[in-house]
Amino acid sequence: MHIVLVSSGTVARQFAAELSRDNDVTVIHDGSPGRAELERLDVELLQGSGNDVDLLRRAGADRAAYVVACSRSDESNLLACLAARQLGKAQTICFVEKQEYVRSFGAQDGSVVACAPQLGIDRLVWPARMLADKIEKILAVPGATDVGYFAHGRIRSLEYRLTAELPLVGRPLMEIRTLPPGVLIVAVTRGETWSVPRGQSVLEAGDRVLFMGRSEAMHHLAAWFTEHLGESEGGEVVIIGGGTVGLRLAQTLEFNPKARIKLIEKDTDRCAMLAQTLKRSLVLNGDGCDIDLLETEQVRYAQTLVAVTDSDEKNLLASLLGRQLGIPKIVTRVTSAANRVVFERVGIDVPLSARGAATEAVLHMIRYKGVDLLATLSEGRGEVLEITLPDDFAPIALKELDLPEDSIVAALERRNEAIVPGGATLIGPGDHCFVICKAERVAEVREAILG
Amino acid sequence: MNSRNVVSVLGTLLEPFALLLLLPGFIDSFSGRMASGWTFFGTAIVAFSVGRLLRRYGGEPGKFSRVEAMAVVAFSWLVAALFGAAPYVQQGFSAIDALFESMSGFTTTGSTIFLTEDFTRVTRGLIFWRSLTQWLGGMGIIVLFVAVLPALAVAGRQMFFTEAPGPEEEALTPRIRHTAAALWLLYAGLTALEATLLATVGNMSGFEAICHALTTLAAGGFSPHGQSLGGYGASAQWIVLVFMFLAGASFALQFRALRRPSRLVRDTEFKTYACIIGFSGLLIALLIAGTRGHDFEASLRHGLFQAASIVTTTGYASEDFNLWSHNALIVVGCLFFVGGCAGSAGGGPKVVRLIILAKFLAREVLTALHPRAVKVVRLGGRPLADETVRQIIGFMVAYITIFAGVAALAGLIEGDLAVGFTGSIVTLGNIGPGFGALGPMETFSVLSPWTKGLFILSMWVGRLEVMTVLVLLHPDVLRGFSLRRRRKGRSSRV
């Protein structure tokens, strides 16, 4: 399969690296820093603008299966998609940052949305919105470091960082009795390793543990953690950075009438615009890393600090200051993969990446048929897949499946009902299997289940 | 500034104005008061001729600037008051008294220099003229002439918004002439409705009903009866109460509400206005209940009536509120500083300005607490430009300064600070009656001529919402007032 990427900076690196394993990839790059990383990959590299039809033709856009426009400029991306549509039948996927474009291209307010294909864009991807929604979900559950909703909310996942006082720590999983029924421990992140635990595995303090189950049961679990971790609901949210993500997040949080939101933005003109758009948030004009400002604004009493400026360094600094001030929950945006490791080393709970989430979603759009990627876990090390069993599927007990290591069928949806499966549970045609697995094992999992 | 433009438009306005003087002239002629009738006719002829002369002198009006629009608006009220005063002089009032009554009429203030015996002494034509001046001033002289004079088209737009200033310029229709016509139609319709109701249900004679309707919708307050509405029954007072309430609400809003009534509920200013009248009315009712032999209905009626009368700056009295308890009077006193809605017939600072001012203060408090906070002032959810907020603060500062200045001067002249203060606020706010010596059953005629002159200016400045007059006092504008003929092609506009 031939895929053309139109990109700038380092965005395309992750795409190109993933896709070049099984596909022919041509990257049109504008020559900005980040090109060197691409040169190390087995891809064809063309320098120039994605809006140039001749260049697109040279890149093979006329016979490509997909054209993915993921440069930093919305306008370039849109134009590249329109141009590619003139050349051939390639499916076009367009990344946009600005809300206006998502609106004006007729898409509903979703993150990955189908557009009017006659415009030349088959999929519009809005990473900022994906990130803002993700942060909002995480903030809604006190103490949680990750939150996911599946099967129309019937199945939920929550991730918590364990502390030494919790009764879960220090014993094998099969001996744990304190969890509400209908909840499974499906993944553990320890340091930089990610694994699906077995019955004999022992949890340690500092582990980030992913739970999954029916939403009622998860509700009890959240209450249980709230009680044990001593974190309270509500409280003030301080957002540093009033860009697309910060604005979108504040707008979403404002739906909760009890939310108290402070939004710190450096640019004066942008502040004026934010103040006009946001009705209840307190917009502050200043630098989020200015310790004096954080002191005057009594940020220390905030419940949550969200650092979403477009600079990783700023976000890191703001998060560390927040940690220093003793804010219980800190959510940080990180763009560069190299920086993510740094964030984890210094103990920032929730480093998230807008493009990361969007990238994973698009990769799955392109790669696997019959398997939908629902979420990535632990910064892309693990994935949540939804596999819909075909009508000719022969029923089989879960323990009979030859699933690879570090994978687990975490939940089932059968006729609009959520089921937490055991080894003896039979799966049959029409079932939706929610599978947690290591990112590298997606193909094996598909093989094991769908044959 | 091009003075000849101003003169020309003033002349254009004066001609139709002269025609209006014929109406009371006919009334007096038919009722056999020929002397008075001829005074009206004579004044009309003089006004018409002066209008013609001014227009001839001014020539065809050229390009019209903002300052010129302001000048026309400001002077048209002076000129109207001047010509409107002539009939009073003929009936035995001194020149300053006549001018006071005329200005009080056009500015819809309702302060009167009439003594109790004057109400029976003067001709019906004069009583009608007195009411008609208020009716004309209520919607605005300019707004009327913009509606009927197509010649004013472009200049009219600027003058329209200068005469009826609100925080935001808002027209009902793309053409300002149609907007003006729609507003006058609504205004006239409501007036006719009230007159009919008063004559049928309110036990008033047809003449009294018409006079009251004219001054109610204008939020004016002149009554053909020496006791104001206190001289009529409960039913008449309830009817007047309802129409006062309408007169103090934005006519543009009412026009829109004819099609979509839900607009009323969604309008922040209207809601606040209704709440202010409702709450203060009930409060007064509570404070006067049981006193002076009032039963439940009577206290409620007087409470709401007086609250509406003061807030809308009408100035009617359903009884002599000066006899009320001190507490009730304090409530009335606070209401002196409110005023009607923007775009209504009411005067005063206007409810919307107070709302915005309160929100501005809230923002100031927030900024003191969070020095780096960026916040916009919103009205009904919509963000307001800082420019608008600044203008309103400017207005309030000017308003309070002028109020204090006039109060001090008048207090000095009269040797009575209370008279100075009430007189100043009731004339600047175009309200009418005040406390003590200036109460609703008293008269302004006892004041010294100097105080009267001061109050005439105060009424004028108040009706034009201060800024129009202040702009004309700027040296740049004053320098342009020279009436010398200029060579063609050399514009001398500010």
Side-chain angles (χ1 to χ4, degrees):
Chain A
M1 190 157 64
H2 189 100
I3 298 168
V4 177
L5 293 178
V6 177
S7 85
S8 61
T10 57
V11 190
R13 191 198 60 84
Q14 201 178 349
F15 267 139
E18 294 275 342
L19 292 171
S20 59
R21 273 188 236 139
D22 324 309
N23 305 295
D24 303 332
V25 176
T26 307
V27 181
I28 298 178
H29 195 271
D30 64 357
S32 56
R35 189 188 148 94
E37 292 182 42
L38 287 168
E39 277 168 354
R40 274 179 243 133
L41 299 168
D42 182 16
V43 298
E44 185 188 7
L45 198 55
L46 297 172
Q47 184 157 339
S49 156
N51 308 342
D52 181 348
V53 180
D54 288 337
L55 195 63
L56 278 171
R57 195 177 282 123
R58 256 175 64 203
D62 45 348
R63 61 203 144 78
Y66 287 96
V67 173
V68 181
C70 55
S71 77
R72 291 198 184 280
S73 152
D74 287 359
E75 292 78 5
S76 289
N77 289 346
L78 290 166
L79 277 173
C81 285
L82 296 176
R85 175 46 49 100
Q86 301 306 314
L87 289 175
K89 287 202 170 67
Q91 294 270 305
T92 49
I93 299 174
C94 182
F95 277 50
V96 288
E97 282 295 331
K98 296 194 189 99
Q99 197 165 353
E100 302 94 271
Y101 288 130
V102 181
R103 289 248 177 81
S104 54
F105 278 84
Q108 70 267 52
D109 230 17
S111 43
V112 179
V113 281
C115 293
Q118 64 269 27
L119 286 174
I121 301 157
D122 296 301
R123 291 277 194 156
L124 208 54
V125 177
W126 188 12
R129 158 73 186 254
M130 290 177 105
L131 181 61
D133 283 359
K134 182 87 183 164
I135 295 174
E136 195 267 332
K137 279 180 193 145
I138 293 173
L139 297 193
V141 185
T145 54
D146 194 4
V147 176
Y149 291 84
F150 310 100
H152 309 287
R154 288 187 199 97
I155 295 165
R156 279 173 75 188
S157 72
L158 287 172
E159 189 188 62
Y160 286 95
R161 189 183 285 277
L162 298 188
T163 56
E165 307 90 69
L166 287 172
L168 302 175
V169 170
R171 49 175 119 167
L173 287 190
M174 51 199 197
E175 285 176 25
I176 293 174
R177 298 277 177 270
T178 42
L179 287 182
V183 173
L184 288 180
I185 294 178
V186 293
V188 176
T189 311
R190 183 174 301 160
E192 279 165 41
T193 61
W194 184 92
S195 62
V196 173
R198 310 182 153 274
Q200 305 83 4
S201 308
V202 177
L203 299 175
E204 292 174 11
D207 286 355
R208 274 159 51 192
V209 177
L210 183 73
F211 302 85
M212 200 162 180
R214 283 203 304 273
S215 70
E216 320 82 77
M218 295 308 282
H219 201 75
H220 291 300
L221 181 80
W224 186 87
F225 266 101
T226 308
E227 192 183 314
H228 281 78
L229 292 173
E231 267 196 52
S232 56
E233 251 177 289
E236 192 173 69
V237 180
V238 176
I239 303 170
I240 294 173
T244 318
V245 179
L247 171 61
R248 180 76 214 177
L249 178 63
Q251 277 177 324
T252 320
L253 290 175
E254 275 190 354
F255 282 117
N256 175 1
K258 274 190 256 164
R260 283 178 295 128
I261 306 150
K262 277 181 186 153
L263 180 57
I264 302 177
E265 165 62 41
K266 204 172 172 185
D267 183 77
T268 314
D269 292 339
R270 177 79 186 169
C271 276
M273 177 268 172
L274 291 171
Q276 291 204 348
T277 315
L278 296 168
K279 292 202 171 161
R280 296 195 303 107
S281 306
L282 181 60
V283 179
L284 299 164
N285 184 8
D287 191 332
C289 303
D290 176 358
I291 191 80
D292 280 344
L293 177 66
L294 297 183
E295 290 279 348
T296 3
E297 288 303 333
Q298 309 227 312
V299 167
R300 64 178 69 241
Y301 299 116
Q303 186 70 31
T304 317
L305 182 124
V306 182
V308 285
T309 68
D310 46 18
S311 144
D312 281 2
E313 291 75 13
K314 274 253 154 75
N315 291 340
L316 179 61
L317 190 52
S319 306
L320 289 175
L321 283 173
R323 166 134 298 177
Q324 188 74 27
L325 291 168
I327 298 170
K329 189 166 188 167
I330 293 168
V331 179
T332 313
R333 173 192 200 169
V334 52
T335 309
S336 141
N339 287 340
R340 181 171 303 164
V341 183
V342 180
F343 278 62
E344 272 169 40
R345 286 266 167 77
V346 297
I348 303 296
D349 286 341
V350 194
L352 296 166
S353 142
R355 294 207 165 243
T359 308
E360 295 289 335
V362 172
L363 283 177
H364 275 265
M365 252 184 251
I366 295 176
R367 265 196 341 211
Y368 304 105
K369 292 251 148 71
V371 178
D372 285 329
L373 172 83
L374 299 180
T376 59
L377 301 168
S378 193
E379 295 85 47
R381 294 189 195 99
E383 297 186 344
V384 184
L385 311 172
E386 179 179 347
I387 299 177
T388 307
L389 302 180
D391 290 340
D392 56 352
F393 187 84
I396 187 171
L398 280 182
K399 60 184 171 197
E400 306 294 327
L401 283 175
D402 186 22
L403 282 175
E405 199 152 313
D406 285 325
S407 62
I408 181 174
V409 177
L412 292 174
E413 193 196 16
R414 181 178 296 159
R415 280 182 235 100
N416 296 332
E417 193 190 347
I419 298 167
V420 173
T425 310
L426 281 170
I427 54 171
D431 287 0
H432 300 269
C433 301
F434 293 86
V435 181
I436 309 280
C437 69
K438 229 177 186 158
E440 306 88 272
R441 303 223 184 261
V442 175
E444 289 171 60
V445 168
R446 183 176 183 278
E447 184 72 26
I449 296 178
L450 294 177
Chain B
M1 190 176 79
N2 187 346
S3 310
R4 297 182 55 186
N5 263 350
V6 177
V7 168
S8 165
V9 178
L10 273 178
T12 317
L13 294 174
L14 206 50
E15 286 173 19
F17 173 77
L19 299 180
L20 291 167
L21 273 160
L22 299 178
L23 276 172
F26 286 129
I27 293 180
D28 273 355
S29 307
F30 283 125
S31 53
R33 308 289 287 267
M34 292 315 286
S36 165
W38 280 112
T39 316
F40 281 110
F41 292 142
T43 318
I45 291 164
V46 173
F48 194 85
S49 326
V50 171
R52 260 290 145 83
L53 279 175
L54 288 181
R55 215 159 65 145
R56 178 158 304 171
Y57 172 81
E60 201 60 28
K63 260 187 90 182
F64 217 69
S65 76
R66 202 173 139 74
V67 191
E68 285 155 17
M70 286 179 156
V72 170
V73 171
F75 288 125
S76 65
W77 288 76
L78 277 184
V79 170
L82 215 60
F83 282 101
Y88 293 99
V89 178
Q90 188 267 332
Q91 304 213 9
F93 294 96
S94 72
I96 189 84
D97 277 359
L99 191 60
F100 185 97
E101 195 74 1
S102 181
M103 185 60 100
S104 173
F106 280 111
T107 59
T108 76
T109 305
S111 304
T112 183
I113 44 81
F114 272 36
L115 304 168
T116 319
E117 61 267 26
D118 285 334
F119 285 98
T120 45
R121 183 177 62 84
V122 301
T123 65
R124 285 191 140 202
L126 191 67
I127 293 280
F128 178 76
W129 175 240
R130 193 169 166 258
S131 308
L132 188 66
T133 53
Q134 292 211 318
W135 194 68
L136 296 174
M139 185 57 86
I141 306 172
I142 302 284
V143 178
L144 169 64
F145 294 143
V146 166
V148 295
L149 295 179
L152 289 175
V154 178
R157 190 173 187 92
Q158 278 168 322
M159 293 193 295
F160 181 91
F161 290 117
T162 311
E163 189 183 58
E168 278 160 294
E169 292 187 357
E170 195 186 16
L172 290 170
T173 56
R175 250 178 217 290
I176 205 64
R177 211 180 131 213
H178 296 163
T179 301
L183 292 178
W184 268 95
L185 211 65
L186 176 72
Y187 187 60
L190 285 173
T191 310
L193 183 64
E194 190 195 351
T196 318
L197 282 175
L198 282 178
T200 51
V201 191
N203 299 322
M204 276 191 197
S205 72
F207 180 73
E208 286 170 324
I210 290 170
C211 286
H212 275 118
L214 290 176
T215 56
T216 312
L217 261 300
F222 275 159
S223 168
H225 197 290
Q227 298 279 298
S228 189
L229 260 289
Y232 301 90
S235 55
Q237 294 182 0
W238 278 114
I239 293 168
V240 170
L241 168 58
V242 170
F243 282 90
M244 276 199 295
F245 180 77
L246 294 180
S250 159
F251 286 113
L253 178 70
Q254 292 178 53
F255 189 83
R256 292 209 174 88
L258 285 179
R259 266 180 229 152
R260 289 233 305 273
S262 63
R263 287 197 69 114
L264 290 179
V265 200
R266 278 187 293 147
D267 190 82
T268 315
E269 185 185 24
F270 181 79
K271 278 190 289 188
T272 317
Y273 163 75
C275 284
I276 292 174
I277 290 183
F279 282 121
S280 54
L282 290 177
L283 189 60
I284 295 172
L286 215 64
L287 291 170
I288 61 169
T291 62
R292 300 168 44 83
H294 287 328
D295 61 4
F296 173 75
E297 187 270 343
S299 353
L300 191 69
R301 171 160 42 88
H302 291 309
L304 285 174
F305 189 97
Q306 218 50 64
S309 170
I310 300 298
V311 171
T312 63
T313 73
T314 308
Y316 281 144
S318 57
E319 65 169 350
D320 189 352
F321 57 77
N322 263 328
L323 305 174
W324 288 353
S325 74
H326 200 68
N327 296 340
L329 286 187
I330 286 173
V331 179
V332 174
C334 291
L335 296 181
F336 280 156
F337 293 87
V338 180
C341 297
S344 74
K350 303 278 152 66
V351 175
V352 68
R353 287 210 179 88
L354 298 185
I355 298 172
I356 293 171
L357 199 67
K359 295 198 168 177
F360 168 77
L361 286 177
R363 183 174 74 169
E364 286 305 293
V365 171
L366 185 90
T367 322
L369 205 59
H370 305 282
R372 308 294 288 272
V374 181
K375 196 168 167 60
V376 292
V377 175
R378 283 168 193 279
L379 184 66
R382 279 188 310 132
L384 289 176
D386 270 353
E387 171 95 5
T388 310
V389 179
R390 210 190 56 225
Q391 282 168 356
I392 285 169
I393 296 160
F395 168 86
M396 288 310 288
V397 171
Y399 193 85
I400 298 296
T401 313
I402 291 173
F403 157 66
V406 172
L409 266 176
L412 206 66
I413 298 168
E414 293 298 319
D416 183 344
L417 201 61
V419 167
F421 266 82
T422 21
S424 174
I425 191 63
V426 297
T427 50
L428 188 63
N430 298 146
I431 296 166
F435 294 140
L438 303 179
M441 307 302 159
E442 313 295 328
T443 166
F444 279 65
S445 70
V446 292
L447 300 176
S448 105
W450 291 105
T451 319
K452 285 176 191 162
L454 199 58
F455 286 168
I456 289 172
L457 287 178
S458 169
M459 290 189 267
W460 180 58
V461 171
R463 179 60 180 82
L464 296 173
E465 306 218 325
V466 184
M467 278 305 169
T468 311
V469 177
L470 290 187
V471 166
L472 296 181
L473 294 179
H474 195 277
D476 285 355
V477 182
L478 289 177
R479 242 175 273 135
F481 269 125
S482 151
L483 286 177
R484 272 178 295 122
R485 265 176 191 274
R486 288 167 210 279
R487 264 193 296 150
K488 264 197 174 163
R490 266 184 62 198
S491 105
S492 54
R493 211 161 293 131
V494 175

